[in-house]
Structures are given as structure tokens and as C-alpha cells.
Amino acid sequence: MKSTSGNIGIFAGGAVSWTSWLQSILAQSTVELKYYATSELVKELAWIRELFVELGFNLGPIQIYSDSAGAIAFSANPEF
């Protein structure tokens, strides 16, 4: 079953990126779905970060939060 996911990117207290989409993959678990959604957010924030760098702003490290302990553990595994 396909799932709907959403993400929001916040900078200086304001939303700079937000998305909601029907996922194009069929996942085997909710952990896989959350991991996929988080990876999509990371790709978008990496693009936004590079845009800010080109504009002359150094954002420093970007913190990513997830409500899924399984997805966090999955992303911490260097194999993935």
C-alpha cells in the first residue's frame, strides 16, 4: 500500500520548504517509509543549503528530526 508523506524545513523560525506527496515506492515497513521520507527531506535541504551558500550565507550544520526511532537507527547504519 502506498503512503502519503510530508516534510517541513524550518530556518530561523520560518518554513523554507514544505512538501506532501504520495510515495512512489511500496515499502515493506513503516520504518522504510519514514526513512524514505527523511531522505527526500535531506536531499531538498542539501539543495537549499547550497543555494544559501551561493548567496553568501553559511548555515553550518543542519539538524534533522524524525519521529521514528527505527528510521533514525536505520539512517545511522553506514551500510545504508
Side-chain angles (χ1 to χ4, degrees):
M1 186 169 176
K2 292 186 178 181
S3 178
T4 301
S5 292
N7 291 314
I8 186 166
I10 298 174
F11 175 67
V16 295
S17 167
W18 55 90
T19 56
S20 177
W21 72 94
L22 181 64
Q23 289 189 340
S24 60
I25 65 165
L26 295 174
Q28 301 297 316
S29 68
T30 54
V31 170
E32 187 178 357
L33 286 172
K34 297 278 188 167
Y35 176 77
Y36 178 74
T38 303
S39 69
E40 292 297 311
L41 174 65
V42 168
K43 287 189 275 186
E44 185 165 349
L45 290 178
W47 183 87
I48 291 171
R49 179 188 178 128
E50 288 302 312
L51 175 65
F52 274 80
V53 167
E54 287 184 21
L55 294 173
F57 298 98
N58 184 6
L59 301 181
I62 296 176
Q63 295 179 347
I64 306 294
Y65 297 98
S66 175
D67 63 352
S68 172
I72 293 169
F74 197 67
S75 66
N77 186 341
E79 208 171 290
F80 299 103

